[in-house]
Amino acid sequence: MKGRRRVAPLFAGAVALLLGAAAEPTAVMPDGRPTPTRQPVPRWLSLKSSEVRARTGPGLDYRILWEYRAAGLPVQVIAETREWRKICDPEGSVAWVHRSVVSSRRTVFNPSTQELPLRSGRSETAAVRARLAPRALIALDKCEDGWCDLGGRKVHGWAPEAALFGVQPRALCDASRPAGPAGRGG
């Protein structure tokens, strides 16, 4: 009888553990493998500093392609290793960056050469509160119904989701493409 009491709790615990694992959604990379971080891919992050080295591969021994000089720039993670993130930038270029140089702080980028009106509500007819300069960055609060709530304490407003870089749910660059500038190999 004592043996059964020990086995039953162990068996119940194992079943609960298996059921819990099955109920948890699995984040996978484009090739179907689970992501090392268990975070979804693609996903959005931003660069932490104004000096971020972009590399050809996931490691310090890979050649530096260029250096990003735009703290807060939104980048889309399209693949990852435990320590490195393969990103797609606003130009459509692909590079590897270390996990320590990206942040989960959400920002968006105005990729246009025109000012983008920030409106008081989610409508093209809502009053213009401010204008986002061409190629400017701004904090992202949330998106709903095709509009994004942007800004901070001093500047705040809504902009159409389609006019922004940093909110697209689909991958913008092919994860199998080698790292390098847009237009090469992909």
Side-chain angles (χ1 to χ4, degrees):
M1 192 71 157
K2 282 185 180 180
R4 285 188 182 175
R5 286 186 186 161
R6 285 187 184 160
V7 172
L10 286 174
F11 179 73
V15 169
L17 185 63
L18 286 174
L19 289 174
E24 184 177 305
T26 305
V28 295
M29 289 197 285
D31 64 5
R33 291 179 297 134
T35 61
T37 61
R38 297 186 182 172
Q39 296 293 314
V41 171
R43 72 177 177 279
W44 290 98
L45 299 174
S46 61
L47 300 182
K48 279 186 183 179
S49 78
S50 60
E51 293 180 5
V52 174
R53 291 187 181 100
R55 296 183 179 272
T56 59
L60 294 175
D61 52 335
Y62 286 90
R63 184 173 55 86
I64 296 171
L65 291 165
W66 56 79
E67 190 170 88
Y68 289 104
R69 294 188 176 260
L73 183 72
V75 293
Q76 188 180 53
V77 176
I78 56 173
E80 67 182 13
T81 68
R82 184 181 261 355
E83 297 293 318
W84 294 83
R85 308 295 175 254
K86 190 175 191 180
I87 61 168
C88 178
D89 69 22
E91 303 296 324
S93 297
V94 173
W96 287 90
V97 297
H98 193 267
R99 69 179 176 88
S100 67
V101 299
V102 290
S103 166
S104 60
R105 190 178 122 239
R106 292 293 304 273
T107 60
V108 294
F109 176 72
N110 175 6
S112 172
T113 57
Q114 304 294 315
E115 288 184 337
L116 180 64
L118 299 183
R119 300 189 177 273
S120 60
R122 297 183 310 246
S123 167
E124 288 291 338
T125 58
V128 175
R129 284 187 167 170
R131 296 186 184 278
L132 184 61
R135 306 190 56 78
L137 299 169
I138 192 167
L140 170 67
D141 183 26
K142 64 183 174 190
C143 294
E144 55 187 52
D145 301 326
W147 287 82
C148 295
D149 188 10
L150 308 173
R153 293 180 188 166
K154 294 181 181 181
V155 176
H156 175 80
W158 293 87
E161 192 173 310
L164 302 167
F165 177 86
V167 294
Q168 295 76 7
R170 64 176 175 69
L172 298 179
C173 296
D174 181 357
S176 65
R177 192 176 109 204
R184 269 194 14 190

